[in-house]
Amino acid sequence: MSVLELFCAVDDFWLAFAPHWKASQLATGKQRLRPGQLCPSEIITILIHFHQSHYRTFKAYYTEHVQVHLRSEFPRLVSYQRFVALIASVQVPMLAYLQSQYGSCTGISFIDSTSLEVCDPKRISSHRVFATDAKRGKTSMGWFFGFKLHLAVNEQDDLLACCLTPGNVDDRSPVPILVKELRGKLFGDRGYLSAPLTQLLFEQGLHLITRLRKNMKNHLMHLSDKLLLRKRVIIESIIDQLKNISQIEHSRHRSPINFVVHLVAGLIAYSHQDKKPGLHLDQLALLAA
């Protein structure tokens, strides 16, 4: 997606969202916002495009690419320091825009979580930015300090839901709220294995399917469910793209709000990808099996 196409998509959303957002702000007693040199659509477009540009740092992207090559697209650019100060102002619109980019539930969903490390474990005692928010957690790769990103996707690799928790939160804790709008079958790894959770989701109209632990008795499973469990790796490929292409994980954050905004921008950038690693399944045949 080009910068122009991205801006058009963002601006169409902003024109529909802005009146409701401004009305809600006035209702809560906040003063009317003055128009800035850069409009919110331009700020959001630049933030999302950074995660599509393969630059490692936002500062290099803004100073070396935006201010050099995109001046015709953004004629009223501000300095890098001023732009960083403006990032927090688009947090709410970007969260709303992310929700507008969610795919539709097809009856086949996959769930997984990934760690977002915010600093080296050896520097935890001196870390200040997320000292009260981030927590120590453990994954199959070892201990980390930071957060967990929980994702739910369909078989077409469209995002269905996401949430952020401290690193010490159990993967099963946010699941009921995360997937409350989903129906059909939900496939996860052994970390989601729980009889109470399975029963709770079943009452919500969702069938949780996971692999069994080695010390558990085997049970019969539909062939289609067994095949789909093998395809659960598709969500891991999404996580890999988010971390290595969209750069949602690094240790250079200087503001919790900017961390959230850049995380949301990375998720939106993935949603706008032209090609996604979908499974291209015959879902009617699978659901009937």
Side-chain angles (χ1 to χ4, degrees), residues 208-255:
L208 177 62
I209 302 173
T210 65
R211 294 184 183 275
L212 299 178
R213 295 192 180 95
K214 294 181 179 179
N215 61 349
M216 298 179 67
K217 293 183 179 179
N218 199 1
H219 69 275
L220 294 176
M221 180 184 296
H222 287 290
L223 178 60
S224 60
D225 295 342
K226 190 173 182 179
L227 293 173
L228 286 171
L229 267 178
R230 296 177 181 177
K231 299 297 184 180
R232 195 196 60 81
V233 70
I234 198 69
I235 194 172
E236 296 178 2
S237 68
I238 296 176
I239 292 172
D240 179 73
Q241 290 187 16
L242 288 172
K243 287 188 172 183
N244 295 304
I245 298 178
S246 294
Q247 308 291 334
I248 65 170
E249 182 185 38
H250 61 80
S251 59
R252 300 180 300 275
H253 300 291
R254 296 297 177 264
S255 166

Side-chain angles (χ1 to χ4, degrees), residues 48-68:
I48 297 173
H49 189 257
F50 160 64
H51 293 277
Q52 299 175 332
S53 65
H54 303 284
Y55 273 81
R56 295 288 296 177
T57 66
F58 182 76
K59 184 175 183 179
Y61 162 76
Y62 192 84
T63 58
E64 299 174 9
H65 185 73
V66 177
Q67 292 184 325
V68 175

